[in-house]
Amino acid sequence: MVRRTREAAAATREQLLDAAERVFRDRGVTRTSLAEVAAEAGVTRGAVYWHFRDKADLFVAMCERATSPLDALIEQARGTHEGSPLAALRLLCIDALAHLSRDTRAHAVFEILFHRSELSGELAGVADRHDRECANARACVETVIRRAVAAGELPRDTDATLATFAIHAYVTGLMHEWTHDPDAFDLRAAAPALIDAFIAGVVANPPRTRPAGRGAGSKAAAAVATAAPRGK
């Protein structure tokens, strides 16, 4: 009897998470009430509060149920220690995009995060969690880039931190655009060419560390001084 009750409770919880995914995706998180989630799941509002404290708790549980492409990248990066670092980076980025394209739950969650939610107010905790996830992914990528520098695949004066931010922005930008319009292009098929083009650009002209005292401000000042008209 106890086992049956637990199984029924687990099934109800999954119903609610499935319903939240559908309603959040359709209406947006801010505009959706827990009563609407309950109605979509075919249960009472009380059942929602039995499993989740509030909408933020429900939203976090929905996100945690999906395997994030960034989490997958982190796990894969931790096991990447041999061979070409740039080849490893290429595979990490391609696999993250492919994961998003083939995992329907990850696709739904990222679509909601990118386009159907305002991560503020009651959802501020979700924003913090997402920021930590992104920071962890960047840290893993930066480790691989520093290995590429040490291996001579990138120049010694490559700014690894800036290169990491560029790669992260590029990959998450692709995810953002594709979840907005999945019919625009086949993300899984295009991923290798898209990543190859970006890495080729980094190899050809990576961001460089700047010598002390030669920052952007001094360069801008020098440019202005050069362009300024000379007095007679």
Side-chain angles (χ1 to χ4, degrees), residues 119-191:
L119 299 184
S120 59
E122 63 180 336
L123 299 180
V126 179
D128 292 340
R129 176 181 178 274
H130 183 65
D131 288 345
R132 288 193 300 271
E133 183 180 83
C134 290
N136 289 336
R138 286 196 301 270
C140 289
V141 169
E142 184 165 348
T143 298
V144 178
I145 291 176
R146 292 190 182 279
R147 286 180 47 230
V149 172
E153 293 184 337
L154 290 171
R156 296 190 65 83
D157 64 345
T158 296
D159 188 326
T161 300
L162 193 55
T164 297
F165 272 101
I167 291 170
H168 182 264
Y170 182 69
V171 172
T172 56
L174 288 171
M175 292 177 174
H176 182 281
E177 293 306 302
W178 183 77
T179 52
H180 178 66
D181 184 8
D183 294 327
F185 61 98
D186 186 333
L187 180 61
R188 189 173 185 178

Side-chain angles (χ1 to χ4, degrees), residues 10-206:
T12 299
R13 188 176 189 275
E14 286 299 303
Q15 283 178 251
L16 286 166
L17 292 172
D18 288 341
E21 191 176 283
R22 292 191 298 270
V23 180
F24 288 161
R25 201 174 186 182
D26 182 53
R27 292 179 53 80
V29 180
T30 303
R31 295 175 56 193
T32 297
S33 68
L34 290 180
E36 289 171 321
V37 174
E40 176 70 18
V43 301
T44 65
R45 186 176 176 183
V48 181
Y49 285 106
W50 175 263
H51 291 280
F52 306 103
R53 292 188 305 275
D54 49 29
K55 186 162 61 174
D57 190 34
L58 172 62
F59 188 41
V60 168
M62 184 202 71
C63 292
E64 289 179 342
R65 188 175 63 154
T67 303
S68 165
L70 298 182
D71 283 342
L73 182 150
I74 292 168
E75 287 302 315
Q76 190 173 348
R78 286 171 178 166
T80 303
H81 300 291
E82 298 179 358
S84 163
L86 284 184
L89 178 62
R90 175 182 184 271
L91 288 177
L92 289 175
C93 295
I94 291 172
D95 287 349
L97 295 176
H99 176 89
L100 180 64
S101 70
R102 67 172 178 263
D103 189 316
T104 55
R105 186 164 286 165
H107 178 183
V109 167
F110 264 56
E111 181 182 329
I112 294 166
L113 282 170
F114 282 142
H115 309 292
R116 299 287 189 270
S117 62
E118 295 178 4
L119 299 184
S120 59
E122 63 180 336
L123 299 180
V126 179
D128 292 340
R129 176 181 178 274
H130 183 65
D131 288 345
R132 288 193 300 271
E133 183 180 83
C134 290
N136 289 336
R138 286 196 301 270
C140 289
V141 169
E142 184 165 348
T143 298
V144 178
I145 291 176
R146 292 190 182 279
R147 286 180 47 230
V149 172
E153 293 184 337
L154 290 171
R156 296 190 65 83
D157 64 345
T158 296
D159 188 326
T161 300
L162 193 55
T164 297
F165 272 101
I167 291 170
H168 182 264
Y170 182 69
V171 172
T172 56
L174 288 171
M175 292 177 174
H176 182 281
E177 293 306 302
W178 183 77
T179 52
H180 178 66
D181 184 8
D183 294 327
F185 61 98
D186 186 333
L187 180 61
R188 189 173 185 178
L194 291 169
I195 298 302
D196 284 345
F198 187 85
I199 291 181
V202 172
V203 171
N205 190 21

